Amino acid sequence: MNPLTEREQSDDGYRLWLRYERVDEPRLCEAYRAVFRSIHFPGAGDSLDAARHELDHALRGLLGAAPQWEESAAAASFLIGTPSSSAACASWAEALALAVVGDEGFVVRGELSRGGPGAIFANSERGVLYGVFALLRALQTRQPLATLNLRERPKLALRMLNHWDNLDRSIERGYAGASLWDWHKLPHYVTPRITDYARANASLGINAAALTNVNANARVLTEPYLQKVQAIADVLRPYGIRVFLTARFNAPSELDRLETSDPLDARVVAWWQHKVKQIYARIPDFGGFLVKANSEGQPGPQDFGRSQAEGANLLARALEPHGGIVVWRAFVYDAAVPEDRHKQAFDELVPLDGQFRPNACLQTKNGAIDFQPREPFHPLFGAMPKTPMFLEFQITQEYLGCATHLVYLGPLFKETLDADTHVAGPGSTVLKVITGALAKHTLTGMAGVSNIGDERNWCGHPFAAANWYAFGRLAWDPELSAESIADEWLRRTFTNDARFVAAAQRIMLDSREAAVEYMTPLGLHHLMAESHHYGPGPWVTGLERDDWTATYYHRADAAGLGFDRTKTGSNAIAQYAPAVQRKHERLDTCPENLLLWFHHVPWAHRMQSGRSLWDELCYVYSRGVERARSMHTRWLTLEGCIDAGRFEHVRQLLEIQVREARWWRDACLLYFQTFSGRPIPEALEPPQGTLEEYRTHRDYYVPGI
Ligand code: BDP
């Protein structure tokens, strides 16, 4: 085909997983058409309208014909509504135990009774919207409808994206263009893209978005910006998404020249109360504030000799009468404190358990350091039973190859969710901590640092959207598997072609382990280049803060490698429950994929493979490169299964990934070799460059700083 035509016919990725291509299996299409012959979907309301609009649009695409809307329930082949919008729904509510699915859940049935009509019933408009998206997922993945019987309710109350977007439209750690929020043109011009963003989120059940960077700019709280926020909130509302803002703790002083921003000062209390009222006047369903305080230079209550809880409660009290909440980040550590960074948040926050207002929660990163390719779960999970605890993941790939590496994060998310904290005996998984199952909290949630920008395909790498998708699906149901989510996403995003789906799913499922192995195997962490974190930098040392350097974390010396966090070292391990401590404190029982996280291990130490630590390091780094290579070769076999544009885009990026995997391996091995003094085993490829070349290499203008 002519390359120009090919480009025109390629999918540009804009539709994400909401592609409603024609069902091309004729019999299935006929069966689907019969179910949707005539749809009874009464009722008015913004979310119902959004649901109706989506269904109309989708069925036209999938079935090739506009749906027939039917006034009479008795004559319809499909019924949609809530007990208050539809008498048919009201009459079925009891038999279906609709009350059990709660405010946001739904029931979707291909047939209510044998041969009878199908239905989407829910208790709220939002529930209907989610039900419609669940039905469309079933159609897009070609499920048979007669037996379709979905009954879902979200397991977490807040399912939230955190945008680290600045008011100048740059995005901290963003690799997909500029911010979606065009502050300059808002509120007068509101791009339709925000509606499509809302649709994509609602299709996953994401119901909250913090619009601004945690490294906050107080200006967003000023009247002109609140008008702009209002314009965004108005678009998101029908899709069930509540807006949050990041609150800069010293905003009273910065914006209105108050002498202090001390949380216990009456003038400061009044300032926040007034500010919150002003916000709710514009945005009646405003979600609340997300706050990073006393961390990495952000102002906070400790500047005034107050605790993190006193800081959070200041905002919580102001929000309480309006139904808002404070999401207070647990990512606190202080350069002036010489303690292992791993321990600082726990030391600071655990003594405050029970002191937070009921509408305040702590948002804790999955691990204690910083979104590394692999971290053990954060010891704060389960350690503060009186405090609602949100889990924060990073969807954007700051430490996972930025926008050029295909790394599917489903397995990483699941690893944390399934990790057993043992705080209340075996089976006390992080999942149970955050769903409130252990400590019975109702304020529950999961947040993901967004990877979305204004690039046409939203997330840059064509596979990066899978991470947005996986986050959303797991926030709705953390018990889903990474495998099934990948399968769904591929079918909806590309094609139902079984060969493609199987091979691409393999690539996805292999990709996270590949990245761990070619970047930071065996529990190594934070070896990335300085500041932008793109590419290897195991030699990074002597920065303004020690805990931003690689040498702080890997501690390589002539004796060995790794951070001793046992009793003989920082003893961070003591922050975990005894069963977790016992497993990790000994070299012979610590899982090898976290060995160097917890131990400083001699180079000659015998690993389970029988190899020395040094040889094992060489083998695992090399295996990571091999995995990247096979991702690439597997992809090449898929040419022709999907449109040429996306195929080629991924192909080129995988080439970069293979090159960079090699770069990582060679640079790290050459560097660590200066300590181990041992040769790279002969069976393995020799490094391509010299350590000097790698060390002096600089990447300029890496996005996302
Ligand atoms: C680190 C990022 C930094 C963020 C910080 C945070 O490097 O840009 O501001 O996390 O989470 O991973 O606050």
Side-chain angles (χ1 to χ4, degrees):
M1 203 193 291
N2 171 340
L4 281 178
T5 324
E6 242 175 33
R7 283 214 286 281
E8 277 172 357
Q9 289 180 355
S10 279
D11 191 309
D12 62 11
Y14 183 82
R15 291 175 298 167
L16 292 161
W17 49 89
L18 299 178
R19 293 164 79 254
Y20 302 125
E21 300 283 307
R22 185 70 171 273
V23 177
D24 45 16
E25 304 88 327
R27 285 175 60 189
L28 193 62
C29 191
E30 269 323 300
Y32 286 171
R33 279 192 182 146
V35 175
F36 300 108
R37 203 180 56 246
S38 53
I39 303 174
H40 177 68
F41 188 170
D46 289 346
S47 300
L48 290 183
D49 287 345
R52 209 178 279 115
H53 187 264
E54 191 72 29
L55 191 64
D56 182 76
H57 167 66
L59 292 183
R60 281 170 199 264
L62 287 160
L63 308 183
Q68 297 300 308
W69 303 106
E70 173 60 60
E71 291 280 322
S72 139
S77 64
F78 205 85
L79 311 170
I80 304 180
T82 68
S84 50
S85 73
S86 143
C89 175
S91 71
W92 275 95
E94 216 179 291
L96 294 174
L98 194 60
V100 178
V101 301
D103 189 35
E104 294 182 296
F106 54 78
V107 170
V108 177
R109 292 273 282 266
E111 288 179 356
L112 280 169
S113 53
R114 218 178 139 71
I120 297 172
F121 291 149
N123 295 305
S124 69
E125 289 194 33
R126 256 181 316 159
V128 168
L129 180 68
Y130 292 150
V132 164
F133 277 116
L135 172 81
L136 295 177
R137 182 172 71 234
L139 297 182
Q140 286 176 291
T141 54
R142 308 292 188 260
Q143 309 291 311
L145 280 190
T147 50
L148 187 73
N149 185 357
L150 305 174
R151 240 190 122 68
E152 296 189 14
R153 68 177 291 167
K155 299 206 170 73
L156 293 161
L158 260 279
R159 306 172 298 275
M160 185 183 206
L161 286 181
N162 290 180
H163 292 267
W164 286 358
D165 293 18
N166 297 314
L167 300 185
D168 63 2
R169 293 189 79 190
S170 63
I171 305 179
E172 184 152 340
R173 312 309 178 184
Y175 310 104
S179 170
L180 291 182
W181 326 127
D182 189 349
W183 299 108
H184 182 63
K185 297 195 199 92
L186 284 163
H188 306 296
Y189 172 71
V190 186
T191 164
R193 208 163 168 156
I194 299 180
T195 308
D196 291 329
Y197 161 86
R199 288 173 52 233
N201 280 331
S203 76
L204 305 172
I206 288 172
N207 65 356
L211 303 184
T212 44
N213 193 351
V214 287
N215 295 321
N217 184 336
R219 193 172 298 283
V220 77
L221 301 175
T222 60
E223 188 55 29
Y225 276 86
L226 291 177
Q227 283 180 30
K228 299 169 193 276
V229 174
Q230 179 183 1
I232 297 173
D234 288 344
V235 178
L236 303 187
R237 187 169 302 112
Y239 292 90
I241 302 166
R242 290 173 81 182
V243 159
F244 284 68
L245 293 175
T246 46
R248 189 159 164 87
F249 200 77
N250 64 358
S253 313
E254 277 194 9
L255 295 179
D256 286 323
R257 302 205 185 149
L258 256 63
E259 274 158 44
T260 176
S261 292
D262 179 350
L264 300 192
D265 187 293
R267 288 163 300 173
V268 176
V269 171
W271 190 91
W272 281 106
Q273 279 172 348
H274 175 76
K275 181 53 68 189
V276 165
K277 247 196 210 148
Q278 201 186 345
I279 298 175
Y280 278 92
R282 297 201 162 277
I283 308 159
D285 59 346
F286 180 63
F289 294 127
L290 169 66
V291 189
K292 170 177 179 179
N294 292 117
S295 169
E296 300 184 336
Q298 291 302 298
Q302 290 165 336
D303 303 345
F304 310 95
R306 312 298 181 193
S307 73
Q308 295 272 337
E310 286 168 321
N313 291 345
L314 163 75
L315 304 177
R317 280 203 191 87
L319 290 159
E320 220 159 33
H322 307 275
I325 64 165
V326 176
V327 183
W328 194 262
R329 292 180 86 229
F331 185 63
V332 285
Y333 67 104
D334 186 348
V337 176
E339 189 54 277
D340 177 3
R341 177 170 155 191
H342 193 297
K343 295 172 69 177
Q344 292 193 31
F346 185 101
D347 288 349
E348 181 79 48
L349 295 164
V350 170
L352 304 178
D353 193 23
Q355 295 183 23
F356 289 87
R357 303 284 303 168
N359 64 326
C361 63
L362 272 184
Q363 180 168 296
T364 303
K365 291 188 181 184
N366 57 300
I369 299 298
D370 202 0
F371 299 136
Q372 295 301 295
R374 168 164 285 122
E375 292 199 31
F377 69 88
H378 202 304
L380 272 176
F381 290 110
M384 297 183 66
K386 296 188 193 127
T387 313
M389 187 75 75
F390 284 16
L391 165 58
E392 177 178 319
F393 284 123
Q394 193 178 45
I395 307 172
T396 191
Q397 292 168 237
E398 173 181 359
Y399 295 102
L400 283 138
C402 302
T404 49
H405 293 203
L406 189 169
V407 184
Y408 170 53
L409 299 178
L412 185 159
F413 298 160
K414 285 299 286 183
E415 194 170 286
T416 302
L417 289 164
D418 294 343
D420 195 346
T421 69
H422 283 271
V423 286
S428 312
T429 55
V430 171
L431 189 157
K432 285 193 188 154
V433 172
I434 64 159
T435 56
L438 287 179
K440 309 282 174 248
H441 292 293
T442 49
L443 180 52
T444 57
M446 196 159 122
V449 179
S450 148
N451 61 351
I452 303 162
D454 76 344
E455 278 194 11
R456 184 70 190 158
N457 73 2
W458 302 85
C459 301
H461 196 302
F463 274 73
N467 294 331
W468 174 7
Y469 188 89
F471 168 79
R473 294 288 285 135
L474 288 171
W476 178 270
D477 183 0
E479 283 171 24
L480 292 173
S481 72
E483 291 78 6
S484 68
I485 296 172
D487 177 90
E488 255 176 33
W489 178 79
L490 284 165
R491 290 173 188 278
R492 302 178 77 183
T493 302
F494 291 102
T495 167
N496 279 288
D497 172 353
R499 189 170 77 84
F500 175 84
V501 174
Q505 190 193 29
R506 266 296 291 282
I507 292 174
M508 289 172 78
L509 293 174
D510 224 26
S511 61
R512 187 276 183 131
E513 208 53 43
V516 171
E517 290 188 345
Y518 63 68
M519 289 183 186
T520 52
L522 303 177
L524 286 170
H525 47 292
H526 223 299
L527 303 185
M528 292 75 191
E530 184 188 339
S531 163
H532 54 60
H533 299 153
Y534 189 76
W539 43 78
V540 171
T541 198
L543 301 182
E544 60 190 286
R545 318 175 48 120
D546 209 22
D547 54 12
W548 283 355
T549 66
T551 51
Y552 174 87
Y553 294 102
H554 65 63
R555 311 217 159 188
D557 56 21
L561 180 63
F563 197 133
D564 182 1
R565 293 195 164 103
T566 67
K567 282 194 212 76
T568 50
S570 78
N571 206 20
I573 209 164
Q575 296 181 333
Y576 290 99
V580 179
Q581 285 182 41
R582 274 196 299 279
K583 180 169 167 195
H584 292 84
E585 75 194 350
R586 288 180 34 187
L587 277 182
D588 57 344
T589 54
C590 182
E592 285 193 347
N593 63 13
L594 288 173
L595 194 67
L596 305 177
W597 187 281
F598 288 112
H599 298 273
H600 190 71
V601 182
W603 292 112
H605 171 76
R606 200 130 302 283
M607 303 288 285
Q608 276 154 22
S609 62
R611 298 184 191 111
S612 66
L613 169 66
W614 167 253
D615 282 359
E616 183 74 3
L617 193 71
C618 296
Y619 271 92
V620 180
Y621 262 115
S622 306
R623 191 165 68 208
V625 177
E626 282 315 316
R627 284 187 199 256
R629 285 183 181 140
S630 55
M631 286 163 61
H632 175 244
T633 44
R634 191 165 281 131
W635 183 256
L636 295 183
T637 67
L638 299 178
E639 184 160 19
C641 293
I642 61 166
D643 56 286
R646 288 188 297 174
F647 174 81
E648 181 59 17
H649 191 170
V650 174
R651 189 190 67 73
Q652 290 190 32
L653 290 175
L654 282 169
E655 270 178 18
I656 298 180
Q657 187 165 358
V658 169
R659 235 186 352 262
E660 294 190 350
R662 185 76 198 271
W663 171 33
W664 263 97
R665 170 216 183 250
D666 290 352
C668 291
L669 289 182
L670 285 172
Y671 171 76
F672 289 130
Q673 192 177 36
T674 63
F675 299 94
S676 79
R678 293 162 179 248
I680 294 175
E682 262 179 27
L684 304 175
E685 289 167 306
Q688 280 174 320
T690 65
L691 181 57
E692 206 36 36
E693 282 160 4
Y694 295 127
R695 248 184 208 276
T696 50
H697 171 89
R698 292 281 171 279
D699 278 303
Y700 296 97
Y701 313 117
V702 177
I705 300 181

